[in-house]
């Protein structure tokens, strides 16, 4: 330890925050240049990872074809499962191993495609099984011991943020729980954000993925401050370090963009300026929460999605029931921010003013942010609470159990969260209006 460090000074709390992000290429046509970037990394043979729905738009194949001009051979694999499971990730890993080796990976699609590519990259470069790396207490929480290959993430939905983060999310089917893998080496090497690729999103997909952007920004902005954590040593540092000045800047900018573009994008998906602003908001929010972290709404979202009953959202492919990730995050957000208000009233009020500058304010300051959220959710067609996707009071205990397994996320909450707290949030979210 060097003289004069925070540890020598005896600080009871942490005085260090970390920030990481992929290289970024943003703008219309950016996806046409990926071959140049891969060639510069020395890649000759690349696997493009996508799902059948995105593949049908032709975008993944166009991305692959454009690489040839730079001497890069690319093969498209479109077997990604929307809302990945441990089983679907294992199938993807097996397919990549059978057709490899690969010099690099390119994910074209939403969070499902990008997260699947992260898992492929991890398990084709490192020993062990998928469960070894899944976060504790569900899995072993093992860290990768070997470097991963370059990964280029090309989002086609505005919201996931996976192109900026160190996280791969999945359902563990046998346990009916949503969890993930988190490590700095999973962060993509390059994020290529081409707003033109998002224009094929149906309205509800835009609404759900946009709520993911919004909750990324709000949760990271209201997260436990990095200075409130017990001090850490270098080897104890994790990607989610709490609210910090750099992440705050990205979150505030994302909220400002969402205030003017979100409703327009849902109403008119061909509005190019709104699409550009939504893509920028997603990028900014990803750069914020990928370092500060998210908290209660995301922890609640895991069991909401993982224990889905018979909800089939419009605009999503496949016959299987599902609650899209961004939708599942949003359904308890108003009630969660009522709970967290007392931890940082000024931040909740600032967020409300950025998100809804023209909204009439309530007499109760704690209601300003929930009111802004509820008005937006009604306008864009989000279901009326968890009851709108099939859950009732009889399901609360199981949902609480699933949330409490997300301790990596709950550690970033600005208030300590008990089972009773989570139960009240779920009960208050059965019907939002």
């Amino acid at each position: 330890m060097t003289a004069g460090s925070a540890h020598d000074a005896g600080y009871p709390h942490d005085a260090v925050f970390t920030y990481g992000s992929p290289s970024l290429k943003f703008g219309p046509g950016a996806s046409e240049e990926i071959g140049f970037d891969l060639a510069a990394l020395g890649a000759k043979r690349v696997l493009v990872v996508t799902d059948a729905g995105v593949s049908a738009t032709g975008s993944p194949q166009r991305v692959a074809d454009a690489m040839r001009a730079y001497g890069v051979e690319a093969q498209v694999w479109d077997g990604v499962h929307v809302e990945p499971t441990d089983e679907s990730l294992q199938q993807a890993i097996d397919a990549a191993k059978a057709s490899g080796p690969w010099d690099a990976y390119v994910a074209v699609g939403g969070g499902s495609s990008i997260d699947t590519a992260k898992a492929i990259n991890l398990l084709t470069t490192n020993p062990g099984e998928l469960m070894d790396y899944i976060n504790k207490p569900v899995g072993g929480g093992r860290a990768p011991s070997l470097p991963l290959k370059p990964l280029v993430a090309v989002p086609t939905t505005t919201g996931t943020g996976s192109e900026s983060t160190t996280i791969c999310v999945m359902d563990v089917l046998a346990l009916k729980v949503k969890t993930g893998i988190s490590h700095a080496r999973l962060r993509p090497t390059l994020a290529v954000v081409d707003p033109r690729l998002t224009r094929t999103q149906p309205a509800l997909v835009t609404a759900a993925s946009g709520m993911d952007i919004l909750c990324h920004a709000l949760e990271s902005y209201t997260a436990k401050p990095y200075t409130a954590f017990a001090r850490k040593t270098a080897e104890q540092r994790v990607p989610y370090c709490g609210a910090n000045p750099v992440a705050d800047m990205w979150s505030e900018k994302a909220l400002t963009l969402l205030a003017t573009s979100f409703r327009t994008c849902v109403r008119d998906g061909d509005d190019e300026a709104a699409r550009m602003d939504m893509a920028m908001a997603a990028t900014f929010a990803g750069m914020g929460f990928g370092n500060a972290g998210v908290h209660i709404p995301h922890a609640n979202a895991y069991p909401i999605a993982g224990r889905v009953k018979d909800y089939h959202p419009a605009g999503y492919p496949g016959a299987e029931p599902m609650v899209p990730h961004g939708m599942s995050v949003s359904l308890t957000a108003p009630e969660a921010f009522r709970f967290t208000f007392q931890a940082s009233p000024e931040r909740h009020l600032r967020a409300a003013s950025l998100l809804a500058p023209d909204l009439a304010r309530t007499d109760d300051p704690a209601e300003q942010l929930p009111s802004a959220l509820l008005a937006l959710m009604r306008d864009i067609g989000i279901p009326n609470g968890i009851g709108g996707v099939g859950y009732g009071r009889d399901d609360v205990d199981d949902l609480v159990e699933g949330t409490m397994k997300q301790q990596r996320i709950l550690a970033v909450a600005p208030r300590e969260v008990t089972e009773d707290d989570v139960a009240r949030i779920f009960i208050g979210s059965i019907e939002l209006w």
Side-chain angles (χ1 to χ4, degrees), residues 33-280:
E33 301 181 6
I34 293 171
F36 172 84
D37 300 301
L38 287 168
L41 292 169
K44 298 291 186 183
R45 191 165 185 266
V46 173
L47 183 65
V48 178
V49 179
T50 190
D51 67 64
V54 174
S55 183
T57 69
S59 294
Q61 191 59 55
R62 285 192 291 272
V63 168
D65 291 344
M67 295 182 201
R68 295 197 185 101
Y70 300 95
V72 178
E73 174 195 348
Q75 178 179 320
V76 176
W77 182 79
D78 65 359
V80 168
H81 187 279
V82 177
E83 301 295 329
T85 68
D86 54 337
E87 290 182 2
S88 77
L89 291 182
Q90 189 59 56
Q91 291 167 0
I93 293 161
D94 293 343
K97 286 180 176 179
S99 56
W102 304 100
D103 300 324
Y105 299 98
V106 176
V108 181
S112 297
S113 294
I114 299 171
D115 285 2
T116 298
K118 289 177 181 178
I120 290 172
N121 198 5
L122 174 64
L123 270 300
T124 56
T125 55
N126 279 265
E129 304 295 330
L130 186 64
M131 191 59 75
D132 295 335
Y133 295 93
I134 288 174
N135 297 326
K136 293 180 178 178
V138 178
R142 178 174 172 178
S145 57
L146 299 172
L148 277 64
K149 299 289 180 69
L151 169 60
V152 178
V154 189
T156 61
T157 59
T158 45
T160 169
S162 186
E163 71 275 7
S164 299
T165 72
T166 62
I167 302 157
C168 160
V169 177
M170 77 206 73
D171 289 307
V172 177
L173 295 177
L175 300 178
K176 292 186 177 181
V177 65
K178 206 173 190 78
T179 183
I181 301 171
S182 178
H183 192 274
R185 290 188 180 179
L186 267 65
R187 196 190 307 273
T189 311
L190 171 65
V192 177
V193 182
D194 186 339
R196 297 183 312 181
L197 300 182
T198 70
R199 293 181 66 177
T200 58
Q201 285 185 156
L204 188 59
V205 178
T206 299
S209 58
M211 288 305 300
D212 204 17
I213 304 173
L214 177 53
C215 288
H216 288 157
L218 289 174
E219 290 172 60
S220 61
Y221 194 62
T222 59
K224 184 177 179 179
Y226 78 97
T227 51
F229 287 87
R231 65 178 187 176
K232 299 181 180 70
T233 60
E235 63 274 12
Q236 292 173 328
R237 302 209 174 276
V238 294
Y240 279 7
C241 66
N244 62 80
V246 177
D248 289 349
M249 173 184 67
W250 295 125
S251 296
E252 288 197 356
K253 185 61 177 176
L255 290 171
T256 301
L257 290 168
L258 288 166
T260 58
S261 63
F262 196 170
R263 287 175 173 86
T264 302
C265 261
V266 175
R267 184 175 61 249
D268 180 8
D270 290 326
D271 187 309
E272 189 170 336
R275 284 290 186 196
M276 182 79 77
D277 283 351
M278 283 289 283
M280 189 70 79

Side-chain angles (χ1 to χ4, degrees), residues 265-316:
C265 261
V266 175
R267 184 175 61 249
D268 180 8
D270 290 326
D271 187 309
E272 189 170 336
R275 284 290 186 196
M276 182 79 77
D277 283 351
M278 283 289 283
M280 189 70 79
T283 301
F284 288 166
M287 290 178 172
F289 95 88
N291 294 275
V294 288
H295 54 82
I296 299 170
H298 267 76
N300 290 344
Y302 282 7
I304 291 171
R307 294 180 174 274
V308 61
K309 295 184 176 183
D310 194 34
Y311 181 70
H312 293 79
Y316 284 84

Side-chain angles (χ1 to χ4, degrees), residues 379-391:
D379 286 350
I380 63 175
I382 296 295
N384 183 10
I386 62 173
V389 297
Y391 293 107

